[in-house]
Amino acid sequence: MKKLIYVLIALMFVSVVPEMAFAQSDDPFEQQTLKARDNTTKREKKISRKKTEQTEEVTPMTATPKQKAEEQPKPKADKEMTISNPCDEWLDVEFVSLIGSKSSQILTLTIRFTNHDVNKRMYVGGSFVAYDCEGNEHSRGGSTSDFSTVTDIPVKTTVEVPGKINPSQNKVLPVMSFKIGECLIEMRNIPINWK
C-alpha cells in the first residue's frame, strides 16, 4: 500500500515538473499555486468528463410528447354551475336537481328558495327562458306556481322546461332564467340527470 502511495506521489511530481519549467516566476511555491489554480490533473479531467456523460444520459435533450402532455395543465372538462341572484339579501335560491326524461325529452328543474323578508305571496317561473347546447330557445311567459311564503321557511318547487331537449346532445343546460317574485334568477351550466 505504501509503495502505491509513493508511486502516485512520484507520478504527480513528474507531471508537475515540466509545467513548472514554463512558468514565468522562479518561486517554486508560486509555480505550484498557479498550477493548482489554472490546471487540473488527468484524473480530475476524467472524473469531470464522467459526470458530464452521466448528466447527459439522465436528462434527455428534448421532452417526448408524453412528457409534454403531462407537464401541461389539463383543461377543466366541466364548468362549474353558478346561480345569479340579485335579491340575495332577502331571498336564498338553491339548486336541487334537473331531471331529464330520455323518452319524452322533457326537463324538470327542482329548486328550493327561502324568503327572509315578511310573509308574502310569491310567484315562480314568470318569463322563463332556457337555451340548450344546440342553441335552441325554450321559453314561456306567465307564472307556473305561486306560494304563500313564511319568513325563513324554505319552499321546494319544480318547474318544467318548455319544449323537447335532445338527451344525446345536452349533458348540461348552458343557461336558464326565471323569476321568483320580482327577482330574475339566472342559472348557468346546470348538470342534467337523464333517466
Side-chain angles (χ1 to χ4, degrees):
M1 184 72 171
K2 286 182 181 179
K3 288 182 181 180
L4 182 61
I5 293 173
Y6 290 133
V7 170
L8 287 174
I9 291 172
L11 286 174
M12 286 175 47
F13 181 73
V14 170
S15 66
V16 172
V17 170
E19 291 177 22
M20 287 172 57
F22 294 108
Q24 294 176 356
S25 175
D26 292 334
D27 183 10
F29 180 76
E30 186 179 335
Q31 290 174 355
Q32 287 178 350
T33 305
L34 287 172
K35 190 251 177 227
R37 186 179 61 214
D38 296 335
N39 298 322
T40 56
T41 62
K42 290 180 184 179
R43 182 171 185 270
E44 290 172 333
K45 286 181 183 177
K46 284 182 183 178
I47 291 171
S48 169
R49 200 174 320 130
K50 278 187 178 181
K51 284 182 181 178
T52 306
E53 289 171 1
Q54 288 173 352
T55 306
E56 290 174 357
E57 291 174 6
V58 173
T59 55
M61 295 302 280
T62 58
T64 63
K66 184 178 179 182
Q67 289 171 333
K68 287 181 182 177
E70 289 173 358
E71 291 172 3
Q72 295 175 352
K74 294 180 182 176
K76 207 172 183 181
D78 298 326
K79 293 181 180 178
E80 193 173 311
M81 190 189 102
T82 60
I83 299 175
S84 173
N85 176 7
C87 304
D88 60 357
E89 66 276 354
W90 63 269
L91 178 69
D92 287 340
V93 180
E94 300 172 62
F95 169 77
V96 176
S97 66
L98 182 59
I99 306 293
S101 170
K102 287 184 181 179
S103 59
S104 66
Q105 298 182 343
I106 293 176
L107 297 178
T108 305
L109 171 70
T110 304
I111 59 167
R112 184 174 27 247
F113 67 94
T114 307
N115 173 22
H116 297 292
D117 205 356
V118 295
N119 298 348
K120 62 181 167 182
R121 191 159 199 80
M122 295 183 70
Y123 296 90
V124 178
S127 304
F128 186 94
V129 178
Y131 288 92
D132 61 23
C133 291
E134 298 169 282
N136 301 317
E137 180 184 39
H138 304 272
S139 62
R140 171 182 55 240
S143 61
T144 57
S145 55
D146 64 281
F147 300 91
S148 295
T149 62
V150 179
T151 304
D152 296 331
I153 302 298
V155 177
K156 189 174 180 182
T157 185
T158 59
V159 178
E160 190 175 287
V161 177
K164 296 185 183 272
I165 296 178
N166 186 351
S168 63
Q169 299 293 321
N170 296 278
K171 304 300 180 212
V172 297
L173 202 59
V175 66
M176 177 189 307
S177 65
F178 53 91
K179 284 190 173 182
I180 299 179
E182 60 273 2
C183 286
L184 183 65
I185 307 299
E186 184 179 275
M187 297 179 155
R188 290 185 177 263
N189 305 310
I190 311 152
I192 303 171
N193 184 6
W194 289 104
K195 294 186 177 185

